[in-house]
Every structure is written in structure tokens, then in C-alpha cells.
């Protein structure tokens, strides 16, 4: 039961708790240790386990849930190999079974044995824990449920072979670690100024059906994304056009549509383009398809960050990995602001045409460009009707459309965003 016997799974999250809890399980009957001291350490572990439950949203048998959480998160040679192919052969499988023999002992330990030793009901409560926080701060409910289900399955495994098969199937289906369990990410720097990919735990659950109209645009985006998911040639995509027309919403919906097929998305801001090479290095060998998402992309004349983006998209010595694409939105067709000086006949710069081509070359590196134009009055009213029905708004259609027309005149004009803001206003007035 000693955690030092583990070979592959050496990097358990909250390792000090893991070590202390397994020590208590091993020594709670040992006469060489003061019983009250062991009990005090046990209660410290219980406190931390409850805090972990609140943080991650775990429930059921909390000890089993924690062990499943360790297994689901540990990125090692075995877990990453299984993520790619499922069950693996060779020595790595045998090493995994050695570790899983330890985990089986940990799963087999009945916490009520500690109740008898320390005259408490703590173990019983931990085995039947009901969490008031459905999602936790790190995992949403879907991810939490996967880990708790894995815990139940592993507790029923009769030997190391079946235990290893169960774990490898989990890795193949859901992945491993942060990239496997989450679908959206942002990048930041840690205390050592290293670039890390951080999960976004609360994402908008928008679908393509929620975007009214724009069928041709959606089909073009879907076709390119499906090719990407299926391992076929696919292009970087630029969605451009009027504001509030659904460009960003379409990309978010694509993520929700294809997450279960291995699609992941990393949001990157303009000031982070220097970090793109580091981000790609971290994701290029994983068994997921990554879209690097850049929202509202545009550059002023004095900004040079677009040069980093050009090199990453196409032009550096290292080829862009097959599992990475870039999807960007912009209100500008050409992304980089052009001045009259760039195009007038007389320009003090000797090779002015080269300057223009330099600025236009960025958009040329997006193989697919999709235009989202503002809806006309009839289309706008169709969007309002659809959103009102979705929101279960009780207002006769004539009044609804009349009020929507008044709203758009003073709130940004005809767009899907304006329609949604109007519906939110009306719904708030009803409530």
C-alpha cells in the first residue's frame, strides 16, 4: 500500500495528502505510534479530502473518487500511449499492472475500519458523500461524473489485468490529464515565466442551431472542421464581417459540436503571439485536434505582432503540426489597418508596393475566409422570433417585432447580438 512502490504514477495531485492518507491506512493499528497522533493525522486528511471534494465537485466514495482523479490526471508513458491507441502491449503494460496492484489495495481498503479504530462515523460519511456543489471550481458536472463513474468501475475490478483494461479504455475514450478532461483553454505564464495551458472551466454551451440563418457560412465552417477532425487536409479559417453577426458564436458552437470527437480549443490574445511556438510544442504530439482561437483579430499600423502569427501559420522552418489549426474572427477583411499613404501614387517609402503586400500577406495565409454580413430587416425579425421562442417569451408577435425595431435603432443596429440583447431585456422585464 506504500505509494513509494508506484513506478509510473509518481506525480499524484495533492501528493502530501496521498502520502499521509495511505500512511494512516498502513499504520492505524501499529502499536509503535500514538493512537491519538495517528487519529489527528487522519482527521487532517479527512479535512483535506472534503476540501478537494468541494474544489473538484467529487462525491460518492470520496476516497475512491480521489484515486480515480489521480489516475485520470496523471500524464505518464502509459496513459499517453493509451490515449493514442487504447490498450498497449509490451513492458509498459506490465509496469502499469504493478502500479495497479497498489491501486487495487487502496481501493479495497474500507474506510469504516478507521471508524472502528478511532470510534467515529467519519469513514461511513466519506463512503457516501453527497456534494452540495454540483460542478466544483475546476470541473464541470460532465467531467466530475466521468471521474466518479471511473471510480465505481475500478472498485469492481477483480485483478490487475481487468483494472488496466478499464483504465486504458477510459484514456482512449476520454483522454488523460487537463487536455483530456477539458475542452477549452487559455495560456498564461507561471511563476518561472514558463508558458502553461490552463483549462477554462466554464464555457458557453452554444450550438450551431442557435445561430439563426447564415447556413452557407455555417456549412463552410463545418466542412472544414470535419475534414480536420477526420484527418483530411483542412485550412486555417478567418471569419470576418459586421460585428454581432455570430462569428465568435459559430466557433464556440463548433467546439461544442466536435468536442466528443477529440476537438479542443485554445484561446490566444494578440499580446500572446510570442508564446505560440511554445504552445504548439506542448500540443503537437497529443491525440487531440486543437483549434487556436483568436477573437476580434486586427492590427494597427504600429503593431508588429502579426509577424509572429505569420511565421506560425506558414513560413517558419518547422511545419505546423497536422493536429493544429487557427480560427480567427475579425471585423476587418485585411486584418491590418492600411493608411492612404500605403496606396497613393506618391509614397516616401521607396518600395511602397512591398509594404502593401506585407500587410495583405497575413490574410492570404487563411485558406478559408467566411463573410458574415449584417442581416436585413426581415432576417433580423426572424432572429427575434426564434430567440423569443427559445426564451419562452409571452408577447404577441406584432408587439414583439415593433419593440425589437425600436430597440435596434438605439442599440447598435441590425445584428444577431442586438436581437439577443433585446430578448434578454424583454425576458428580464417579464421576470
Amino acid at each position: 500500500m506504500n505509494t513509494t512502490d508506484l513506478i509510473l504514477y509518481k506525480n499524484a495531485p495533492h501528493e502530501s495528502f496521498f502520502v499521509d492518507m495511505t500512511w494512516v491506512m498502513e499504520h492505524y493499528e501499529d502499536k509503535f505510534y500514538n493512537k491519538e497522533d495517528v487519529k489527528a493525522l487522519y482527521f487532517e486528511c479527512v479535512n483535506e479530502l472534503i476540501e478537494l471534494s468541494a474544489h473538484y465537485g467529487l462525491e460518492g466514495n470520496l476516497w475512491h473518487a480521489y484515486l480515480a482523479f489521480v489516475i485520470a490526471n496523471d500524464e505518464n508513458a502509459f496513459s499517453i500511449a493509451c490515449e493514442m491507441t487504447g490498450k498497449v502491449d509490451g513492458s509498459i503494460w506490465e509496469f502499469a499492472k504493478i502500479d495497479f496492484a497498489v491501486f487495487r489495495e487502496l481501493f479495497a481498503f474500507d474506510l469504516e475500519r478507521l471508524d472502528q479504530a478511532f470510534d467515529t462515523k467519519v469513514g461511513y460519511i466519506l463512503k457516501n458523500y453527497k456534494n452540495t456543489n454540483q460542478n466544483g471550481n475546476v470541473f464541470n458536472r460532465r467531467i466530475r461524473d466521468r471521474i466518479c463513474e471511473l471510480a465505481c468501475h475500478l472498485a469492481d475490478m477483480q485483478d490487475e489485468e481487468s483494472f488496466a483494461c478499464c483504465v486504458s479504455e477510459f484514456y482512449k475514450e476520454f483522454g488523460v490529464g487537463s487536455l483530456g478532461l477539458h475542452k477549452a483553454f487559455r495560456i498564461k505564464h507561471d511563476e518561472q515565466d514558463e508558458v502553461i495551458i490552463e483549462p477554462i472551466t466554464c464555457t458557453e454551451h452554444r450550438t450551431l442551431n442557435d445561430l439563426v440563418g447564415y447556413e452557407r457560412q455555417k456549412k463552410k465552417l463545418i466542412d472544414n472542421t470535419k475534414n480536420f477532425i477526420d484527418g483530411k487536409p483542412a485550412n486555417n479559417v478567418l471569419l470576418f464581417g459586421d460585428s454581432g453577426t455570430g462569428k465568435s458564436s459559430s466557433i464556440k458552437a463548433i467546439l461544442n459540436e466536435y468536442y466528443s470527437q477529440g476537438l479542443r480549443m485554445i484561446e490566444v490574445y494578440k499580446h500572446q503571439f510570442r508564446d505560440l511556438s511554445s504552445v504548439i510544442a506542448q500540443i503537437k504530439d497529443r491525440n487531440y485536434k486543437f483549434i487556436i482561437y483568436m477573437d476580434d483579430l486586427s492590427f494597427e499600423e504600429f503593431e508588429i505582432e502579426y509577424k509572429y502569427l505569420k511565421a506560425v501559420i506558414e513560413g517558419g522552418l518547422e511545419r505546423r503540426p497536422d493536429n493544429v489549426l487557427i480560427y480567427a474572427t475579425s471585423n476587418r477583411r485585411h486584418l491590418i489597418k492600411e493608411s492612404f499613404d500605403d496606396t497613393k501614387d506618391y509614397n516616401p517609402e521607396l518600395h511602397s508596393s512591398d509594404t502593401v503586400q506585407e500587410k495583405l500577406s497575413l490574410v492570404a495565409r487563411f485558406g478559408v475566409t467566411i463573410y458574415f454580413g449584417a442581416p436585413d430587416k426581415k432576417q433580423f425579425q426572424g432572429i427575434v422570433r426564434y430567440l423569443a421562442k427559445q426564451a419562452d417569451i409571452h408577447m404577441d408577435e406584432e408587439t414583439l417585432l415593433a419593440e425589437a425595431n425600436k430597440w435596434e435603432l438605439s442599440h447598435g443596429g441590425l445584428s444577431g447580438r442586438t436581437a439577443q440583447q433585446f430578448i434578454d431585456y424583454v425576458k428580464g422585464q417579464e421576470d
Side-chain angles (χ1 to χ4, degrees):
M1 193 182 292
N2 196 329
T3 57
T4 59
D5 293 339
L6 294 171
I7 298 171
L8 298 171
Y9 289 81
K10 303 293 288 186
N11 301 307
H14 310 284
E15 184 178 8
S16 61
F17 159 75
F18 193 25
V19 172
D20 289 344
M21 188 68 176
T22 53
W23 188 91
V24 169
M25 292 176 174
E26 191 171 3
H27 297 287
Y28 74 99
E29 291 180 317
D30 199 325
K31 304 300 182 182
F32 292 101
Y33 299 98
N34 183 284
K35 184 175 181 179
E36 291 303 314
D37 291 341
V38 178
K39 181 179 179 181
L41 179 59
Y42 172 48
F43 279 14
E44 288 179 14
C45 291
V46 171
N47 173 266
E48 187 162 357
L49 189 54
I50 293 170
E51 292 298 324
L52 290 176
S53 169
H55 192 56
Y56 295 106
L58 304 175
E59 65 178 14
N61 186 318
L62 283 193
W63 174 238
H64 288 179
Y66 170 75
L67 294 175
F69 167 68
V70 169
I71 291 170
N73 275 275
D74 199 315
E75 296 180 0
N76 56 59
F78 173 75
S79 61
I80 292 178
C82 291
E83 175 187 89
M84 300 290 287
T85 63
K87 183 178 178 180
V88 295
D89 297 319
S91 299
I92 195 69
W93 183 263
E94 299 304 319
F95 278 121
K97 288 184 358 184
I98 292 173
D99 278 12
F100 293 149
V102 176
F103 275 104
R104 284 194 65 239
E105 285 189 62
L106 297 174
F107 269 97
F109 187 90
D110 188 345
L111 293 179
E112 291 190 66
R113 290 161 62 181
L114 299 177
D115 284 351
Q116 297 171 7
F118 300 130
D119 192 25
T120 74
K121 294 183 179 179
V122 170
Y124 173 79
I125 298 173
L126 291 178
K127 286 174 60 179
N128 303 275
Y129 194 82
K130 302 295 183 184
N131 202 328
T132 56
N133 187 350
Q134 292 297 310
N135 295 331
N137 300 323
V138 175
F139 295 145
N140 60 36
R141 188 169 185 175
R142 182 193 69 254
I143 297 172
R144 187 280 311 271
D145 287 348
R146 287 177 177 176
I147 292 175
C148 292
E149 288 169 8
L150 176 64
C152 293
H153 292 318
L154 293 178
D156 292 336
M157 295 299 106
Q158 300 301 311
D159 52 48
E160 288 75 36
E161 183 74 21
S162 59
F163 195 103
C165 288
C166 180
V167 172
S168 63
E169 288 171 6
F170 178 88
Y171 290 149
K172 176 61 177 175
E173 184 174 0
F174 301 116
V176 59
S178 177
L179 295 179
L181 296 175
H182 297 88
K183 62 182 176 181
F185 307 85
R186 63 172 65 90
I187 63 175
K188 70 174 189 177
H189 288 250
D190 62 14
E191 295 177 355
Q192 289 74 42
D193 203 33
E194 297 290 330
V195 177
I196 60 175
I197 301 173
E198 178 185 63
I200 298 173
T201 58
C202 184
T203 58
E204 189 175 5
H205 191 70
R206 186 178 293 274
T207 67
L208 288 168
N209 290 332
D210 295 329
L211 182 62
V212 184
Y214 301 99
E215 298 304 322
R216 180 182 59 81
Q217 291 89 332
K218 288 191 290 186
K219 184 179 186 307
K220 200 171 182 180
L221 185 63
I222 289 170
D223 289 345
N224 190 74
T225 306
K226 287 180 67 176
N227 286 340
F228 181 47
I229 295 295
D230 294 339
K232 299 176 182 177
N235 286 292
N236 300 309
V237 179
L238 173 65
L239 290 72
F240 72 98
D242 299 308
S243 62
T245 52
K247 301 183 294 294
S248 300
S249 296
S250 296
I251 294 179
K252 295 172 186 176
I254 281 290
L255 174 61
N256 292 324
E257 189 83 19
Y258 294 103
Y259 161 69
S260 62
Q261 298 179 43
L263 185 64
R264 303 291 185 266
M265 190 168 289
I266 303 174
E267 187 173 34
V268 178
Y269 297 102
K270 185 165 53 178
H271 69 277
Q272 298 172 318
F273 285 174
R274 292 172 181 261
D275 299 326
L276 281 173
S277 295
S278 177
V279 170
I280 291 174
Q282 295 181 51
I283 63 179
K284 65 181 181 179
D285 295 323
R286 298 303 298 269
N287 192 32
Y288 308 103
K289 302 291 186 179
F290 291 92
I291 289 175
I292 295 179
Y293 168 48
M294 303 170 181
D295 191 29
D296 197 18
L297 187 64
S298 65
F299 301 92
E300 300 300 324
E301 289 181 278
F302 58 86
E303 293 179 311
I304 63 169
E305 286 88 350
Y306 72 92
K307 295 179 182 288
Y308 297 105
L309 180 56
K310 283 174 61 178
V312 168
I313 295 179
E314 185 180 334
L317 289 176
E318 184 177 11
R319 183 176 67 88
R320 176 173 51 82
D322 292 335
N323 68 330
V324 177
L325 281 184
I326 293 175
Y327 282 16
T329 69
S330 179
N331 294 334
R332 289 180 181 172
R333 172 66 176 85
H334 294 301
L335 300 180
I336 303 170
K337 182 178 179 181
E338 296 178 82
S339 66
F340 183 67
D341 286 341
D342 290 334
T343 56
K344 66 184 182 181
D345 292 336
Y346 170 75
N347 192 312
E349 185 175 339
L350 185 60
H351 300 290
S352 60
S353 63
D354 290 346
T355 301
V356 175
Q357 289 305 312
E358 166 76 4
K359 292 183 174 182
L360 295 180
S361 64
L362 176 58
V363 72
R365 302 191 182 208
F366 289 89
V368 173
T369 55
I370 306 175
Y371 173 65
F372 282 72
D376 59 24
K377 180 71 75 173
K378 183 177 180 181
Q379 291 169 329
F380 176 76
Q381 291 179 342
I383 295 172
V384 170
R385 290 192 195 93
Y386 175 83
L387 294 177
K389 183 178 180 181
Q390 292 297 103
D392 195 26
I393 288 177
H394 304 289
M395 182 184 293
D396 68 272
E397 184 173 303
E398 184 177 349
T399 303
L400 177 72
L401 296 181
E403 292 299 316
N405 290 338
K406 292 178 185 178
W407 179 273
E408 64 90 2
L409 289 173
S410 58
H411 291 83
L414 300 171
S415 73
R417 179 182 296 152
T418 302
Q420 183 64 65
Q421 291 169 346
F422 168 70
I423 293 299
D424 291 341
Y425 168 76
V426 173
K427 189 64 177 176
Q429 294 297 105
E430 282 190 353
D431 294 342

